[in-house]
Amino acid sequence: MPESFLSLRGIGFAADGKTILSGIDLDVGAGRVCGLVGPNGSGKSSLLRIIARQIDPSSGEIAWNGRSARAWSNRAFARHVAYMPQFTPGADGMTVRELVTLGRFPWHGTLGRFGADDRRAVEGAIARTDLKTFADRRVDGMSGGERQRAWIAMMLAQDARCLILDEPTSALDLAHQAGVLSLVRTLAEERGLTVIVVLHDINLAARYCDTITALNGGRVLMSGTPEEIMQEEALARIFGVGMGVFRHPNRRQPVSYLL
């Protein structure tokens, strides 16, 4: 088993008197890609925001590498974890290079000097995400898939060990969905990154993730490998509809479909 990288125990969250999450236990191994799936309103994005320290849980404990999340300073956490929300903020006329440069902020702060190491990190991240020809282009003038790659480049420049992505393929066409997730998968393998990603499409989760955790009603319904989750009975429990499963003729991975 891979070393435990992230551990959640008894995580709960309530807002405006409504329980959103309850009793969430989750372990994510180092260097693994973990997909969070489930129907709308199941609590996926709330759980991701808790993991990313965007909101505080109402109950429970979180540990990174066996160390309580409470022991991490904001700067140390930002050097450790990079978060991309479902709806990324406006880039306000910034170029790709300017956006990617923001990823270095946790390493030198507002008044710190931007040095040679920072430049290398920025240019390396731009090159690795195939954005060199876009480096001086304004982010807000790019296609959805290109913008997602720019944000991933910013996360790479941050040099974090964990990437947290909330529906990074939302509103992308099929080619860009595959391109973004293939890039994330390859980066995880190349750099030993841990990735936690919310996905709506169970077939994309099965193809690109090492493990899948399914939420429903604010609770973890089941966790396992794609082989374990991509079963007709399991999918019916997760999504509340009848689903069939067959083997992809080339990759031999399970693929689901509505009955």
Side-chain angles (χ1 to χ4, degrees):
M1 286 287 291
E3 176 189 356
S4 179
F5 184 81
L6 170 66
S7 177
L8 280 66
R9 291 292 178 268
I11 294 297
F13 178 66
D16 299 323
K18 180 182 178 181
T19 298
I20 309 297
L21 298 169
S22 180
I24 299 290
D25 293 337
L26 177 65
D27 290 291
V28 180
R32 308 289 276 176
V33 180
C34 172
L36 299 182
V37 303
N40 290 340
S42 58
K44 302 184 298 297
S45 291
S46 294
L47 180 59
L48 213 65
R49 292 178 66 201
I50 287 171
I51 294 171
R53 224 157 135 164
Q54 301 296 303
I55 56 176
D56 295 324
S58 303
S59 59
E61 295 291 334
I62 302 175
W64 296 89
N65 287 331
R67 183 183 176 199
S68 172
R70 303 181 190 200
W72 294 77
S73 69
N74 289 337
R75 175 170 287 190
F77 187 81
R79 292 177 174 180
H80 193 70
V81 177
Y83 169 63
M84 186 169 76
Q86 179 179 355
F87 303 104
T88 52
D92 295 328
M94 285 190 291
T95 65
V96 168
R97 182 175 282 109
E98 289 168 339
L99 176 66
V100 176
T101 297
L102 294 180
R104 299 304 298 166
F105 180 80
W107 296 94
H108 56 69
T110 304
L111 301 178
R113 182 175 178 179
F114 188 86
D117 288 343
D118 298 303
R119 285 190 205 79
R120 279 192 292 270
V122 169
E123 296 305 320
I126 289 172
R128 184 59 194 84
T129 51
D130 295 325
L131 289 171
K132 290 183 74 172
T133 59
F134 296 90
D136 297 314
R137 185 177 297 187
R138 285 174 48 159
V139 176
D140 51 17
M142 298 166 69
S143 72
E146 292 161 351
R147 283 197 302 273
Q148 294 296 68
R149 280 195 286 145
W151 280 90
I152 292 170
M154 186 188 74
M155 299 170 87
L156 288 184
Q158 190 173 332
D159 202 26
R161 304 312 305 154
C162 179
L163 308 184
I164 298 179
L165 310 169
D166 193 354
E167 297 192 41
T169 59
S170 176
L172 299 184
D173 61 32
L174 288 175
H176 282 110
Q177 288 180 28
V180 166
L181 291 178
S182 179
L183 172 62
V184 169
R185 174 83 227 179
T186 301
L187 291 171
E189 293 173 351
E190 287 179 353
R191 304 189 178 204
L193 303 178
T194 302
V195 178
I196 306 166
V197 54
V198 168
L199 293 169
H200 264 305
D201 189 326
I202 187 65
N203 288 321
L204 289 177
R207 178 167 181 175
Y208 293 104
C209 298
D210 296 301
T211 62
I212 298 173
T213 293
L215 275 67
N216 200 323
R219 295 179 177 273
V220 172
L221 193 60
M222 60 187 73
S223 290
T225 65
E227 290 283 346
E228 293 168 334
I229 299 298
M230 294 289 281
Q231 302 289 332
E232 293 180 2
E233 297 82 359
L235 294 174
R237 286 185 60 203
I238 295 169
F239 296 106
V241 294
M243 300 183 73
V245 178
F246 67 94
R247 292 280 169 183
H248 190 283
N250 296 325
R251 298 192 312 272
R252 305 308 302 165
Q253 294 172 321
V255 179
S256 67
Y257 59 94
L258 286 172
L259 292 175

